[in-house]
Amino acid sequence: MEQPVEQSCCSLRRDGRLHVCPLHATCGYQAQKGPARASKVVVTAHDSLFHMRPRDIGNVGLLVIDEAFWQAGLRGLDGKAQLTLDGLAPDAEHLTCHDRKGAIDWEASNDLSVLRGRLRRVLDSGILGPIPHALLIAAGLSADDCRMAATLERRRLRDPGLLPGMDPATRRNRIAKVLPPFGAPWAPPGRAATLWLILADALENGHDAASAIIAHDITENGTVRVVRLRWRSTIRSGWVRDVPVLHLDATLREALVKPYLPSITVREPVRARLDHVTVRQVLGSPTSARALTPGEKGPQRLEETARRNLRDLGTYIRLRARELAGKPGARILVVGQMAAIEALRERGLPTAVSTVHFNALSGLDRWNDVTGLIVLGRTLPPPLTVEALAMALTNDVPAKGAEGESWWYERSEKRIRLANGRTRALEGEVHPDPTAEAIRWSICEAELIQAIGRGRAVNRTADTPLAIDLLTDVVLPITVHEVIEWDALRPTRQDIMAASGVVLENAADMARCFPELWPNRDAAKKDNQRRGTNGYYRIFSNSRMSPSSALVTYQPEGAGQKPRQATFDLTCIADPEAWLRERLGPLSMCEIARDASGSATSALEPASRHDRLALLARRLDEAARRDLRRRREALNDLATRLASSAPDRKHSLHHRQERSAA
């Protein structure tokens, strides 16, 4: 009924009697009023700007608007704000305007009927899409006519006399008296007034009414022509009249703020050096929604590809987290699209890895101490969505590119700024319309900047450095230290094995323990032969899986089995022997070797010559000890067999004595 909630539902004094809602004393909204009256600083949501300022807040001395408020003022984006052409008929039976006392104003009703008749000529023209400016002019409508019609539409609304505390039955009866019969054509007064104001803006500025779209709506009774409304609400004057406004936005785009605050002055952005931050940008990574979460209805091949991509990204995150951990308690933050983050969580991530999805991180400060930040992909809606937002914001049709309508964005060359002073060319999406491009940028690049900001890079010192991995092809206004292709970093099967907490050297054991990676011994052997040329292993494993790694020597039972080695990360696999027995069966030997310092050794080849020689010496010593142990065991076994087969000396001496006596 478009009645003020406070007066019709909460509390109202009428004819000397106070009408109060039964829940008024316990209502949380009402409880805010006392503190608000006594406070000098009041924090409220962006949406409050588009509603009447509560009297309890008092006069506003300074209005501070936090970032990205522009979307809070857009209305009708869900497609539900629409008017049927029948409801806008100029000769509707219930098209009557009323005065303040509720009586019918026949003169005003006639004026509204005339204006609706002119509008009906436009709506009956058979067009679909935004209402053209030329047709509005041809129908004899002006901006003043439309504003007057908006005022008259509101006068169609009669006060039903709703009072706080009124029982539901009485409330329903009073509402029914001021509404037309059920099923009769009806245009809600407030929504109809909005349509006229949209048309007034289009006429005044000389463009099509893009916020009013003529379309077909499918109903139970067939197809109906409707006018769908998508528009921008205005900031109520009670908030900004004669009040200084300070708008703070790290990713501000002037084109998105000017429609709300026309006189705003945008200052130059603050630039800061990030001396203790390193940024690596990885191009060509499989981080799109299609590559990671194609959905249940997608082809089988896409699902299989998505599983491999999630496996590879999960391995990347695990190994990168080990490299960036730095010290006990260190954390890594991973940011991505919601579906991708949930899929990675289901596959399992280390406890040191925190996750958050895009559009759920602005303003949060809980990750200001992470040592590493990994950003996966981007958020980018299709051009039609961006254009719908632009039309709601400006009431104008966005400009098209040279090729006209297109299902996707145009491509334009952009440049990644490198730390060495050079740049790297990269193509990126761009919309030809300035407002639509500002919206696209705020959804895509700005959200990536917000993600990077969670690491609080400007606050880092030499003792608290931050490493940022950008797995996206989007060019950002930041300095990048390294640009590398995903194919050069894609985890190999050995990397996936290492990320699980073990590196096996024996090809047959690799195939038995990881059948999902290697179908047979030959496949594992070929991968072992290629290991020396794998750049990812050198970069991320860096000669050791972790400080808690242990070199394990083991030998399965059975003829022809020889001792072999594996490296285990004890933080992932606490009991290497049990792990091996579960997958390989009984073991005849299993030993964990440690160096002189008491820390576990590593099975991965060290990067330096000194480390390689030291590891080779340890392996030779261990091999020599194993050889001596095997020889000692063999000699002991021979001695035991000889002792058991030798004749008893006492029995032999007694036998000889008996023969001599005979």
Side-chain angles (χ1 to χ4, degrees):
M1 284 303 301
E2 304 176 4
Q3 296 293 309
V5 175
E6 186 75 22
Q7 287 77 23
S8 61
C9 299
C10 299
S11 175
L12 177 68
R13 184 176 294 278
R14 176 172 290 180
D15 299 330
R17 179 184 173 188
L18 181 63
H19 301 269
V20 182
C21 172
L23 302 177
H24 192 276
T26 58
C27 176
Y29 178 81
Q30 299 297 332
Q32 299 178 97
K33 294 183 176 180
R37 286 191 293 268
S39 299
K40 293 186 177 181
V41 177
V42 177
V43 179
T44 185
H46 285 154
D47 297 85
S48 301
L49 298 175
F50 306 100
H51 298 275
M52 186 180 298
R53 176 174 55 84
R55 289 175 296 179
D56 299 277
I57 290 181
N59 295 326
V60 177
L62 172 65
L63 177 64
V64 180
I65 305 177
D66 197 11
E67 56 191 2
F69 80 94
W70 63 273
Q71 290 194 60
L74 301 184
R75 303 286 185 263
L77 297 178
D78 57 1
K80 297 180 180 179
Q82 60 184 28
L83 297 165
T84 64
L85 267 60
D86 290 342
L88 293 170
D91 55 352
E93 179 182 354
H94 301 280
L95 182 60
T96 53
C97 300
H98 302 84
D99 58 22
R100 293 186 178 182
K101 296 181 179 180
I104 296 178
D105 187 334
W106 294 107
E107 183 178 354
S109 300
N110 182 68
D111 290 341
L112 180 57
S113 180
V114 171
L115 293 173
R116 277 199 179 188
R118 297 177 187 175
L119 176 60
R120 191 58 182 258
R121 298 175 202 167
V122 177
L123 301 181
D124 288 342
S125 62
I127 63 169
L128 294 175
I131 297 179
H133 173 266
L135 288 184
L136 294 173
I137 295 295
L141 289 170
S142 67
D144 290 338
D145 291 337
C146 293
R147 289 197 176 88
M148 183 177 69
T151 301
L152 296 176
E153 292 283 2
R154 293 193 185 95
R155 290 180 59 182
R156 291 171 45 226
L157 180 65
R158 285 190 291 165
D159 184 2
L162 301 181
L163 296 173
M166 185 176 289
D167 65 274
T170 304
R171 188 178 293 268
R172 283 194 299 268
N173 291 334
R174 292 200 176 188
I175 292 175
K177 289 180 180 180
V178 300
L179 290 179
F182 179 77
W186 170 254
R191 192 172 298 175
T194 299
L195 169 61
W196 286 107
L197 292 177
I198 291 172
L199 300 180
D201 176 79
L203 287 165
E204 191 169 36
N205 293 285
H207 55 68
D208 294 346
S211 293
I213 308 294
I214 302 177
H216 287 137
D217 186 34
I218 300 176
T219 68
E220 297 179 354
N221 300 320
T223 302
V224 178
R225 282 174 63 84
V226 298
V227 180
R228 290 177 181 158
L229 306 180
R230 293 179 302 208
W231 72 100
R232 167 180 49 82
S233 185
T234 58
I235 297 179
R236 290 299 186 94
S237 60
W239 293 102
V240 295
R241 183 189 295 127
D242 301 327
V243 175
V245 179
L246 175 62
H247 179 37
L248 305 174
D249 193 340
T251 57
L252 181 143
R253 280 294 179 267
E254 186 173 350
L256 307 183
V257 180
K258 280 280 189 180
Y260 296 102
L261 302 170
S263 59
I264 189 173
T265 301
V266 180
R267 302 296 184 186
E268 288 294 322
V270 177
R271 303 183 184 276
R273 292 177 58 87
L274 306 178
D275 295 325
H276 305 289
V277 177
T278 56
V279 181
R280 167 193 287 150
Q281 186 157 3
V282 182
L283 305 180
S285 59
T287 52
S288 67
R290 181 181 176 86
L292 297 178
T293 53
E296 298 179 356
K297 297 182 180 180
Q300 182 66 25
R301 59 181 178 82
L302 290 182
E303 294 182 9
E304 294 175 356
T305 300
R307 283 195 291 270
R308 289 195 298 270
N309 291 336
L310 286 169
R311 181 194 68 186
D312 292 347
L313 283 174
T315 301
Y316 178 97
I317 293 170
R318 288 185 182 88
L319 295 178
R320 190 63 167 145
R322 291 180 187 178
E323 183 186 21
L324 299 178
K327 58 183 179 180
R331 296 187 301 156
I332 307 297
L333 176 63
V334 178
V335 184
Q337 295 190 52
M338 179 185 294
I341 292 297
E342 291 177 351
L344 288 169
R345 287 172 180 167
E346 291 177 1
R347 294 183 65 89
L349 291 172
T351 56
V353 175
S354 300
T355 58
V356 65
H357 61 82
F358 292 123
N359 300 316
L361 44 77
S362 296
L364 299 182
D365 197 35
R366 65 187 66 161
W367 302 290
N368 57 1
D369 61 344
V370 295
T371 58
L373 196 158
I374 302 175
V375 181
L376 307 176
R378 64 182 181 182
T379 55
L380 185 60
L384 286 177
T385 301
V386 168
E387 291 168 3
L389 291 169
M391 288 191 289
L393 184 67
T394 65
N395 193 24
D396 197 1
V397 179
K400 303 296 181 183
E403 299 180 359
E405 295 285 347
S406 177
W407 74 276
W408 197 244
Y409 299 96
E410 295 181 353
R411 305 286 292 181
S412 174
E413 182 182 286
K414 301 182 180 182
R415 293 273 172 177
I416 300 176
R417 184 174 69 233
L418 301 177
N420 59 10
R422 298 182 178 180
T423 61
R424 167 74 180 268
L426 188 67
E427 279 199 341
E429 290 87 355
V430 64
H431 198 287
D433 182 79
T435 302
E437 170 59 16
I439 293 174
R440 187 208 63 78
W441 194 94
S442 69
I443 295 174
C444 183
E445 283 89 339
E447 188 63 20
L448 289 171
I449 294 172
Q450 288 286 352
I452 294 172
R454 297 317 96 203
R456 299 299 188 235
V458 295
N459 297 330
R460 298 302 177 127
T461 66
D463 296 328
T464 58
L466 174 64
I468 300 174
D469 288 13
L470 298 176
L471 275 67
T472 179
D473 291 357
V474 177
V475 177
L476 299 176
I478 62 174
T479 299
V480 177
H481 299 81
E482 178 187 16
V483 178
I484 190 168
E485 298 290 337
W486 171 252
D487 287 342
L489 297 180
R490 184 189 298 275
T492 64
R493 284 181 281 267
Q494 288 98 336
D495 297 323
I496 297 170
M497 175 177 62
S500 70
V502 61
V503 174
L504 299 168
E505 294 184 349
N506 184 274
D509 292 350
M510 291 165 60
R512 292 180 64 186
C513 294
F514 296 94
E516 71 279 7
L517 300 179
W518 296 284
N520 51 54
R521 174 184 176 277
D522 292 339
K525 187 175 181 179
K526 289 181 180 179
D527 268 4
N528 275 342
Q529 292 170 351
R530 290 193 292 262
R531 180 188 297 180
T533 62
N534 184 277
Y536 185 94
Y537 228 65
R538 292 196 302 270
I539 294 174
F540 288 96
S541 297
N542 194 23
S543 307
R544 57 181 181 273
M545 284 172 50
S546 79
S548 60
S549 60
L551 184 63
V552 176
T553 303
Y554 66 96
Q555 179 178 342
E557 288 185 357
Q561 296 289 352
K562 297 180 180 180
R564 63 282 308 259
Q565 292 182 329
T567 301
F568 282 83
D569 184 351
L570 300 182
T571 61
C572 298
I573 303 175
D575 190 345
E577 182 174 356
W579 190 92
L580 290 168
R581 290 183 185 277
E582 181 181 353
R583 289 158 179 79
L584 301 177
L587 303 177
S588 61
M589 181 264 294
C590 184
E591 295 181 355
I592 298 179
R594 296 180 178 274
D595 59 22
S597 65
S599 62
T601 59
S602 173
L604 300 178
E605 291 298 329
S608 69
R609 181 177 300 176
H610 178 271
D611 289 342
R612 288 199 299 269
L613 290 175
L615 179 57
L616 178 61
R618 285 199 298 270
R619 288 183 172 178
L620 289 174
D621 289 342
E622 292 164 1
R625 285 195 294 270
R626 289 197 302 272
D627 185 61
L628 289 174
R629 185 166 57 250
R630 286 197 299 270
R631 291 175 181 271
R632 186 179 299 110
E633 291 174 352
L635 289 174
N636 290 338
D637 182 61
L638 177 61
T640 301
R641 285 189 280 115
L642 288 174
S644 62
S645 62
D648 184 64
R649 289 189 61 190
K650 292 183 178 180
H651 178 74
S652 300
L653 179 61
H654 179 69
H655 183 66
R656 286 198 298 272
Q657 290 176 348
E658 287 182 345
R659 285 196 306 172
S660 299

